[in-house]
Amino acid sequence: ENATRELLVRYGVVLALTEAQATEFRAGRFDDAGNRARVKDTLAKFEKDKLPLPEVCRYAADGVRSGAAKGLDLEFAARVLWAEAMRPR
C-alpha cells in the first residue's frame, strides 16, 4: 500500500492518460521502439549526471535492459524513468 501511494504521489502526472492513449493501450497498441529509445536516452542522462535510481526505477530499468519489458511494462518504465530524470534535485 505504501509503495503504491508513493508511486502515485511521485509519478501520478506522467501515469495519467488521454482518452486516445487509453483507447490505444486497451487495444494493446504501444510504441515499443519509441519507448526503448526514450529509456535508453533517459538512462544515459542518469549515468552522465550520476543520478541515483530509486528502487522502482531500477526495477523498470532492469526489465528494459533484460528485454523482458514490452508493451505496458515498457510504457511504464519510459514514463517513470523520464519523470525521475526531470525531477528537480
Side-chain angles (χ1 to χ4, degrees):
E1 182 177 307
N2 287 339
T4 301
R5 185 176 301 124
E6 181 181 341
L7 278 172
L8 291 175
V9 168
R10 195 166 191 159
Y11 306 115
V13 172
V14 296
L15 297 177
L17 301 175
T18 65
E19 189 57 40
Q21 288 170 320
T23 299
E24 290 295 303
F25 294 172
R26 279 193 289 272
R29 292 187 289 264
F30 298 92
D31 181 11
D32 282 3
N35 284 328
R36 271 191 215 92
R38 280 188 283 284
V39 168
K40 181 180 175 185
D41 293 345
T42 303
L43 288 175
K45 177 178 177 37
F46 274 98
E47 291 169 13
K48 176 182 169 264
D49 297 343
K50 296 180 176 36
L51 299 173
L53 278 174
E55 186 175 347
V56 68
C57 291
R58 282 194 311 271
Y59 177 80
D62 288 348
V64 175
R65 287 178 180 136
S66 73
K70 294 176 177 59
L72 184 59
D73 291 338
L74 185 54
E75 181 76 31
F76 176 80
R79 288 171 177 243
V80 168
L81 287 164
W82 180 85
E84 189 62 34
M86 296 300 112
R87 191 170 62 82
R89 304 262 187 264

